[in-house]
Amino acid sequence: MSTLDTHLTPADLEETMRLDVRRGLTAEPKVLPPKYFYDGRGSRLFEDITRLREYYPTRAERSILEARAGEVATLTGARSLIELGSGSSEKTHVLLRALLDAGTLETYVPVDVSVDALTEAVPLLVERYPGLAVHGLVADFERQLGAVASAGGAQGPRLVVFLGGTIGNFEPDQRARFLSSLAATMEPGDALLLGTDLVKDPARLVAAYDDDAGVTADFNLNVLRVMNACLGADFDLDAFRHVAVWREDTEWVEMRLRSERAQRVRIASLDLEVDFAEGELMRTEISAKFRQVSVAAELEAAGLRLDQWWTDDDGDFALSLSLA
């Protein structure tokens, strides 16, 4: 059994993009949200990134899932699995299998802003897991958590999973609002499985976002391709360069695009012209890194209790299980 519900139309996405881009390009310093990396080309580039030697988070997180999925199933007894930012759902198969083997899982709700990703993933999931109800949900989980909580008639106990370290793309106040809103949708017995990348040697952190092959640089520039295609902008990609830096004060990696010359960019659909100075930096992503004590404090502030903390053998990445 499968359904695909849409709470976010292409028109909604376009309007949100217009608002985000106008706000970001008129800010000081300029910023663009990382979610606009992910058109079809951007998604393929990110898949390439996850296989790079320098990019350890995907491998580390998978190793924890393979080692601990059975414990997650036992501890949660989840009847429903809700995944935020599911994409292709490829990383979730270990968890799905463990929950099904435990005999509790009835419903899987993959949530993503990309209708294309879910349209492709949902039929494959139904074929792979006969008897599992799959309810795909096209939604912005940051803004539409109410729709997520009730999607597909998901029954408790529910396990919400937010993997890949994506929580690190939120600034601290944004993260606090999101976690509090998520906790407010959870009932006693529900749980959150959260993936967080951990603080480590800055050289390793920067290398993970500035690989020798230049794949991440191409991925970063893709946000400009998306602006050109979707908003009629005239960004010259050759006039910008990828930059990745570690900020000790905030404990996050910051991806930026540096303007190589003074230039003016026009965004036709916004009737907006934006000037860039030579050397000016525009932020396109933050990727915050965490410590156990900080994760526990943020979860507690949101009304969640950290119950389990698991890392890979090298201590690079963590999965935490929190109870409502």
Side-chain angles (χ1 to χ4, degrees):
M1 171 185 171
S2 69
T3 60
L4 183 59
D5 296 331
T6 301
H7 290 262
L8 193 67
T9 67
D12 295 330
L13 281 170
E14 182 178 344
E15 181 59 24
T16 299
M17 179 186 289
R18 289 163 58 89
L19 291 170
D20 287 343
V21 172
R22 180 181 294 278
R23 184 184 303 115
L25 292 185
T26 56
E28 184 60 43
K30 297 179 180 70
V31 297
L32 285 175
K35 61 186 173 183
Y36 299 123
F37 290 133
Y38 296 97
D39 63 350
R41 189 177 193 277
S43 296
R44 290 190 295 275
L45 283 169
F46 184 72
E47 288 299 315
D48 291 341
I49 288 170
T50 65
R51 292 188 285 269
L52 291 169
R53 170 184 54 82
E54 297 95 334
Y55 195 80
Y56 60 84
T58 301
R59 293 187 296 274
E61 184 177 57
R62 183 174 181 85
S63 74
I64 305 169
L65 283 170
E66 289 173 344
R68 302 294 184 174
E71 289 178 66
V72 173
T74 300
L75 289 166
T76 64
R79 294 176 63 192
S80 302
L81 175 63
I82 300 171
E83 182 176 9
L84 307 181
S86 60
S88 66
S89 298
E90 187 61 36
K91 61 195 172 190
T92 321
H93 288 301
V94 175
L95 200 51
L96 285 168
R97 177 50 59 195
L99 288 163
L100 287 167
D101 287 348
T104 61
L105 188 65
E106 299 170 359
T107 304
Y108 173 47
V109 181
V111 183
D112 204 273
V113 296
S114 172
V115 65
D116 291 340
L118 290 175
T119 299
E120 181 176 340
V122 168
L124 295 175
L125 287 160
V126 171
E127 180 180 352
R128 187 164 181 174
Y129 303 108
L132 178 65
V134 181
H135 298 281
L137 181 65
V138 182
D140 183 339
F141 58 76
E142 188 182 355
R143 295 185 173 97
Q144 297 176 305
L145 279 173
V148 172
S150 60
Q155 300 295 311
R158 298 173 299 175
L159 174 61
V160 180
V161 300
F162 193 22
L163 301 177
T166 306
I167 190 71
N169 296 150
F170 294 175
E171 294 197 46
D173 58 343
Q174 182 186 13
R175 212 160 54 226
R177 289 193 300 271
F178 170 73
L179 289 172
S180 294
S181 297
L182 178 59
T185 70
M186 296 170 66
E187 303 288 342
D190 290 348
L192 168 66
L193 186 67
L194 180 66
T196 47
D197 197 4
L198 302 180
V199 174
K200 58 184 65 66
D201 177 7
R204 285 191 64 211
L205 288 167
V206 171
Y209 295 84
D210 194 13
D211 60 279
D212 289 341
V215 181
T216 309
D218 197 10
F219 176 70
N220 196 6
L221 287 164
N222 198 60
V223 73
L224 304 186
R225 294 188 186 93
V226 172
M227 299 301 103
N228 288 349
C230 297
L231 299 179
D234 61 358
F235 282 101
D236 178 358
L237 273 66
D238 291 333
F240 290 87
R241 290 293 178 271
H242 167 68
V243 177
V245 297
W246 168 248
R247 287 190 52 179
E248 191 73 37
D249 57 334
T250 54
E251 293 194 323
W252 67 47
V253 175
E254 199 164 287
M255 290 210 317
R256 305 166 179 169
L257 290 170
R258 183 181 64 230
S259 178
E260 296 293 274
R261 55 177 168 80
Q263 56 185 307
R264 175 170 291 175
V265 175
R266 175 166 175 76
I267 299 93
S269 71
L270 301 181
D271 193 23
L272 177 67
E273 291 186 338
V274 181
D275 289 320
F276 287 84
E278 182 179 355
E280 182 176 354
L281 294 165
M282 175 172 60
R283 194 182 77 191
T284 53
E285 182 180 83
I286 66 168
S287 185
K289 308 308 171 185
F290 297 89
R291 304 174 189 271
Q292 183 175 355
V293 64
S294 64
V295 173
E298 291 192 28
L299 291 167
E300 183 178 359
L304 297 168
R305 174 172 59 84
L306 179 63
D307 187 71
Q308 299 290 328
W309 177 265
W310 300 300
T311 69
D312 61 291
D313 289 343
D314 294 326
D316 285 336
F317 200 92
L319 286 180
S320 56
L321 186 68
S322 303
L323 304 180

